[in-house]
Amino acid sequence: MLPQSTGPDSERASEERLASLFKKLDTRNEGHLDLEGFRRGLRRINHPLKDADHLIHDILTAVDTSKDGLIQFSEFRSFFASAERELWRIFRSVDVDGNGRIDKAELRSSLDRAGIVVDPGRLEEFFGSIDKNNDGEISFEEWRDFLMFMPQGASMKTIYSYYLSTVNVNPEGDVNLSDGLNMQGLGYFFAGGFAGVLSRTATAPFDRIKVYLMAQTGKAPQQALEAAIRGQAAAATTKVAGPFKEAVLTLWRAGGIPSFFAGNGLNVVKVLPESAIRFGSFEAAKRAMARLEGVEDVSQISQLSRFCAGGIGGVVSQFSIYPIDTLKFRMQCEMIGGGSRGNKLIVETLKKTWMNGGIHSFYRGLPLALIGIFPYSAIDLGTFELVKQTYLKRRAEKMKCKPEDVLMPQWLILGIGATSGSFGASIVYPINLLRTRLQAQGTTHHPQTYTGMVDVTVKTYRAEGIRGMFRGLTPNLMKVIPAVSISYLAYENTKRAMGLP
């Protein structure tokens, strides 16, 4: 049992208490603690961290300011004296009535303010883990003794994540599947997958029109430009709007409302892993960047690292699901009035694609896709994260609290998502158009074939000019703006519902 006190210690009392604790941890009386010695010491005092090797290593790294692999008492004293002051600050913010004790209602209210959803059973366990004397209240001594080894900066989110880490490590050092902190990775994947399915289904008709227009070739863009140069505004508008209207009517005649959702089943099959991998890889890349930069909080990484993490997330997800993406595009371009539908169309498209080049046919346009997805994902995810963190920091300064304790308004999430997504999509749209034509080549709606990236670029430019590179941009933005907004809104709210930082 750790030494107890009735409140924040005086400097002398704190020195004596920390010296006593250090002596207990130093089981070999060496005057310092290495990784194994620290582990032995935690087992001696039966601390919940005794089997959590990953956190023990993180604590040693944080305390060992001299970077010699050892914790000296001077380092130990300095680190934990500072930690105690921070824990006292958090304790007072949770102890709303100021009576020096935290009850369950105050703990629940504090978690709610931090946006952490905890079921009653888990709250009981959390409270009981800190309330060592089981008197129904948490004293500062109990609060401090349970949390003083927490390796990260103190906030309710990090405190709750720390608790989840300590209660789910078994004696063999393995983490149970209910471990919230170590399940964060899967949590991010689930949140991303749910967000992707919801947003793509809601905007499927716009995606269908975009693909149809991308697959078409013709002189409409050039004719619109020539009409505008001649000062014939009405004619130019008609030329621009004509293809969109024609696409809607053609798709309607091909099968009514279901025609606008053709390929959405494949889209869901594709987007579930795609969005899960994209957001999950983005979070993993941010943590990797944080380690490279030597910071513990991913919100503190540089803007360049944030944009690179976004690009990495996009590349990993695009490569993972590319064959399904190709099958979806080709299926949409094979759909005609009176033709096959549903699973039959999928099977026929699959066979035709395979016969046109085997497995290689499913990866046509992949280099273009990877070239385009990195800047798009970097701009989209990077911009969203940058604006979000900027808002949280400024809001926290005004509210005099931690950024982790600030809740973003739903309308702001929608606005940031729409801006970052539409900007990124517009920048890389020509690359996506060329990639889509490579994927859809040889289909009913796009019978042209190409030898590769250079060939499709040259043929498209010669036939349609620079404006042809942006064919279908309008329905794409009509899809992207709500899709990205819904996706981020669902992702952020799902993360908060799962208690993820």
Side-chain angles (χ1 to χ4, degrees), residues 65-380:
T65 55
S66 64
K67 306 303 179 185
D68 60 358
L70 301 173
I71 298 178
Q72 309 293 340
F73 177 67
S74 59
E75 295 171 323
F76 183 87
R77 177 184 56 201
S78 176
F79 180 86
F80 289 108
S82 175
E84 181 173 339
R85 290 191 294 271
E86 186 67 7
L87 289 172
W88 174 240
R89 182 187 67 79
I90 300 294
F91 182 88
R92 286 190 300 174
S93 70
V94 178
D95 178 26
V96 178
D97 60 14
N99 67 350
R101 301 273 174 168
I102 295 175
D103 58 32
K104 291 177 185 175
E106 289 174 324
L107 186 61
R108 158 71 75 182
S109 177
S110 179
L111 291 169
D112 288 341
R113 290 197 301 272
I116 302 172
V117 179
V118 182
D119 63 67
R122 177 64 85 178
L123 179 67
E124 287 285 341
E125 295 172 3
F126 183 25
F127 191 90
S129 296
I130 307 177
D131 180 23
K132 292 301 183 183
N133 62 5
N134 298 314
D135 64 353
E137 294 180 317
I138 297 173
S139 66
F140 174 68
E141 290 77 15
E142 292 171 324
W143 177 264
R144 177 198 64 205
D145 292 346
F146 183 78
L147 297 170
M148 69 179 300
F149 288 108
M150 188 172 63
Q152 306 177 51
S155 72
M156 283 310 299
K157 286 187 177 180
T158 55
I159 286 171
Y160 185 65
S161 293
Y162 171 79
Y163 153 72
L164 291 173
S165 298
T166 62
V167 298
N168 290 289
V169 182
N170 65 28
E172 285 71 43
D174 298 324
V175 180
N176 296 333
L177 289 181
S178 60
D179 186 333
L181 182 64
N182 293 281
M183 286 292 285
Q184 280 186 1
L186 289 179
Y188 288 125
F189 276 84
F190 173 80
F194 174 74
V197 170
L198 183 63
S199 66
R200 294 298 178 88
T201 300
T203 58
F206 294 115
D207 184 62
R208 182 73 175 92
I209 296 170
K210 177 202 74 173
V211 172
Y212 176 88
L213 289 173
M214 276 182 161
Q216 302 303 301
T217 58
K219 295 288 186 180
Q222 187 64 32
Q223 291 170 352
L225 177 61
E226 292 172 356
I229 292 174
R230 292 195 301 269
Q232 299 172 345
T237 303
T238 301
K239 292 292 183 182
V240 171
F244 183 85
K245 179 181 178 181
E246 179 188 346
V248 173
L249 293 176
T250 300
L251 293 175
W252 178 265
R253 287 193 293 266
I257 291 179
S259 178
F260 290 92
F261 289 87
N264 191 56
L266 276 176
N267 217 14
V268 169
V269 171
K270 174 189 79 108
V271 80
L272 182 59
E274 178 187 26
S275 293
I277 293 170
R278 180 171 179 247
F279 281 110
S281 299
F282 175 52
E283 299 292 345
K286 283 196 299 181
R287 292 194 292 272
M289 293 294 181
R291 287 194 294 271
L292 288 174
E293 293 186 2
V295 297
E296 294 186 9
D297 188 350
V298 295
S299 67
Q300 301 301 316
I301 63 176
S302 67
Q303 294 181 19
L304 178 61
S305 293
R306 190 174 289 114
F307 278 86
C308 286
I312 291 170
V315 168
V316 173
S317 65
Q318 182 75 194
F319 185 82
S320 302
I321 53 80
Y322 197 77
I324 301 176
D325 206 30
T326 298
L327 185 61
K328 183 202 79 168
F329 282 135
R330 293 184 67 85
M331 175 189 162
Q332 290 179 329
C333 291
E334 292 284 8
M335 189 173 184
I336 58 175
S340 301
R341 295 287 187 276
N343 292 335
K344 184 178 180 181
L345 179 58
I346 294 176
V347 172
E348 290 178 357
T349 306
L350 184 63
K351 289 180 179 178
K352 184 175 179 180
T353 304
W354 180 266
M355 291 174 63
N356 286 336
I359 192 67
H360 177 264
S361 298
F362 292 92
Y363 286 92
R364 284 176 179 153
L366 179 60
L368 273 174
L370 298 182
I371 291 171
I373 195 63
F374 188 91
Y376 166 71
S377 196
I379 293 170
D380 181 19

